[in-house]
């Protein structure tokens, strides 16, 4: 929670992007270069919640294309402040925290329990993400499109063992891709430092 927040406030966008990439295995696209930072509260003016400022930002259809997916995931974690402590009241606006949202699937969520239920409703999704990451480590290279049938097969096999981590590890270790991977050849022409 801390690594996906700013030092002075939460970031539903960063938290939503983290969930997309690390749990769902679908990283969000890179934002366009001309995107402005979210406006911060100004001294002397009434404070607003991060949600209220993001709602204004999301009015732009171009922004909503990505934020409509990321923000509801992050809003579900809004009860956790920038360092991960539970809170019920926004420290700037003094309003009650609104941790509700609607996922792109149409499923409503309100808080971390609903988010967990939504994410665990499809255990293949997380297992596929973990398997892809484990294979990247095991093979010593990024997983490519040609590897995805194996990833899906390993996840299907792990489902028979309730997606146990050990089932994923055994599947990777017994796979042809792992057992017969070839280390890159040493290039005699490469000189250290060049």
């Amino acid at each position: 929670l801390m690594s996906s927040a700013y030092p002075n406030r939460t970031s539903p966008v960063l938290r939503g992007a983290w969930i997309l990439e690390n749990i769902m295995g679908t990283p969000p696209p890179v934002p366009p270069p001309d995107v402005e930072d979210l406006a911060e509260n100004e001294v002397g003016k009434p404070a607003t919640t991060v949600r209220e400022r993001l709602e204004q930002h999301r009015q732009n259809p171009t922004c909503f294309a990505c934020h409509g997916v990321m923000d509801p995931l992050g809003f579900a974690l809004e009860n956790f402040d920038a360092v991960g402590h539970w809170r019920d009241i926004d420290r700037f606006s003094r309003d009650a925290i609104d941790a509700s949202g609607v996922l792109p699937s149409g499923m409503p969520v309100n808080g971390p329990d609903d988010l967990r239920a939504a994410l665990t409703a499809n255990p293949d999704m997380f297992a596929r993400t973990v398997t892809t990451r484990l294979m990247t480590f095991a093979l010593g290279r990024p997983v490519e499109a040609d590897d995805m049938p194996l990833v899906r097969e390993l996840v299907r096999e792990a489902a028979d063992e309730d997606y146990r981590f050990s089932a994923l590890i055994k599947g990777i270790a017994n796979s042809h891709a792992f057992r017969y991977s070839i280390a890159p050849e040493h290039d005699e022409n490469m000189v250290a430092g060049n």
Side-chain angles (χ1 to χ4, degrees):
L1 292 167
M2 282 179 60
S3 67
S4 56
Y6 294 110
N8 63 331
R9 68 168 174 83
T10 62
S11 176
V13 176
L14 292 177
R15 288 177 176 176
W18 189 93
I19 291 169
L20 281 172
E21 183 167 352
N22 295 293
I23 295 178
M24 301 174 83
T26 55
V30 176
D34 58 345
V35 173
E36 295 180 19
D37 289 337
L38 187 65
E40 297 293 338
N41 286 316
E42 295 180 32
V43 176
K45 293 187 178 179
T48 57
T49 64
V50 173
R51 174 185 280 276
E52 291 168 330
R53 286 177 273 152
L54 278 172
E55 292 294 340
Q56 291 174 349
H57 180 74
R58 291 164 34 137
Q59 295 297 320
N60 181 338
T62 304
C63 298
F64 185 79
C66 294
H67 285 273
V69 176
M70 289 184 294
D71 294 358
L73 297 167
F75 286 147
L77 300 173
E78 261 305 273
N79 283 108
F80 297 103
D81 69 11
V83 295
H85 291 131
W86 186 265
R87 65 193 179 137
D88 293 312
I89 303 293
D90 183 89
R91 76 178 202 160
F92 297 110
S93 71
R94 306 307 299 161
D95 293 330
I97 297 295
D98 180 0
S100 66
V102 178
L103 301 180
S105 66
M107 181 179 213
V109 292
N110 191 358
D113 291 336
D114 287 352
L115 179 61
R116 179 183 337 124
L119 294 173
T120 58
N122 181 5
D124 281 12
M125 175 183 56
F126 182 61
R128 189 173 40 252
T129 302
V130 170
T131 303
T132 302
R133 298 282 171 93
L134 289 171
M135 282 199 51
T136 297
F137 177 77
L139 300 176
R141 63 170 174 78
V143 171
E144 299 169 353
D146 292 349
D147 298 313
M148 291 315 292
L150 174 59
V151 169
R152 289 188 293 273
E153 178 185 341
L154 294 172
V155 170
R156 278 192 306 273
E157 290 172 0
D160 294 338
E161 296 184 46
D162 201 25
Y163 300 99
R164 293 189 190 283
F165 190 71
S166 59
L168 295 174
I169 297 293
K170 280 190 307 189
I172 291 169
N174 290 325
S175 72
H176 186 272
F178 177 74
R179 290 185 304 142
Y180 295 100
S181 62
I182 299 172
E185 290 187 29
H186 179 69
D187 187 348
E188 298 288 332
N189 297 324
M190 291 296 293
V191 178
N194 287 342

